[in-house]
Amino acid sequence: MNDLTRLLNSIQLGDTTASGELQRLVYEELHKLAAQKMARESPGQTLQATALVHEAWLRLGGADQPTWQNRAHFFGAAAEAMRRILIDSARRKKAARHGGHLERVTASAMDIAADADDRLLVIHEALERLAAHDALKAELVKLRYFVGLTIVQAAQVLGISEATAKRHWAYARAWLYREIEHI
């Protein structure tokens, strides 16, 4: 993360060579985050970390990366891009289960994949409601759940203390649990 901040500062000071190094670092960071996220996904997931990072890289601008204001700006955009990719993937698979792209699969494999996709869509809907209620807590959840940052890393990205991040995380988890229970 320190390299990212250093490169962002260099670019703001007019260092033209820093932008190429920033692109490489951004891609590496995305790949690391995607690998962490996909490692925690349930079995039956068809989206691989490399595919997720390539799609996120393209959605963030590809070789024509926007000017990142700071780490929070980058990680916020990365979290949102990865979240949208995973949600789109879950929606496509759910639509496929309802008649599109028919193929023969075992019942147990289908149950695992269906449960993971349904769970992701329910979390997405609850997270949208949390964002309307409290955007900072929703952003913390995105960074923790969709990017895989630790409490300490997410607190740094959001510019809040670790204690505040822990309180927000506890609140957001309880709030989301209550919302998901009612679905």
Side-chain angles (χ1 to χ4, degrees), residues 33 36-37 75 78-79 82 142-149:
L33 294 171
Q36 289 172 349
K37 173 63 186 153
F75 281 110
M82 287 185 188
K142 289 177 191 176
L143 291 171
R144 297 269 297 140
Y145 188 81
F146 290 98
V147 178
L149 296 183

Side-chain angles (χ1 to χ4, degrees), residues 93-139:
K93 286 193 279 183
K94 188 172 182 174
R97 281 197 317 272
H98 294 284
H101 304 66
L102 295 177
E103 65 181 74
R104 182 177 220 103
V105 295
T106 65
S108 61
M110 193 167 97
D111 289 343
I112 290 171
D115 290 345
D117 293 340
D118 290 342
R119 179 178 49 100
L120 187 59
L121 291 174
V122 166
I123 291 169
H124 166 69
E125 291 166 4
L127 189 56
E128 290 292 315
R129 290 190 297 277
L130 177 61
H133 172 69
D134 191 324
L136 181 63
K137 289 178 180 79
E139 192 63 29

Side-chain angles (χ1 to χ4, degrees), residues 38 41-48 89 93 108-114 116-117:
M38 297 310 293
E41 287 297 311
S42 57
Q45 188 65 253
T46 57
L47 190 62
Q48 299 298 316
S89 175
K93 286 193 279 183
S108 61
M110 193 167 97
D111 289 343
I112 290 171
D117 293 340

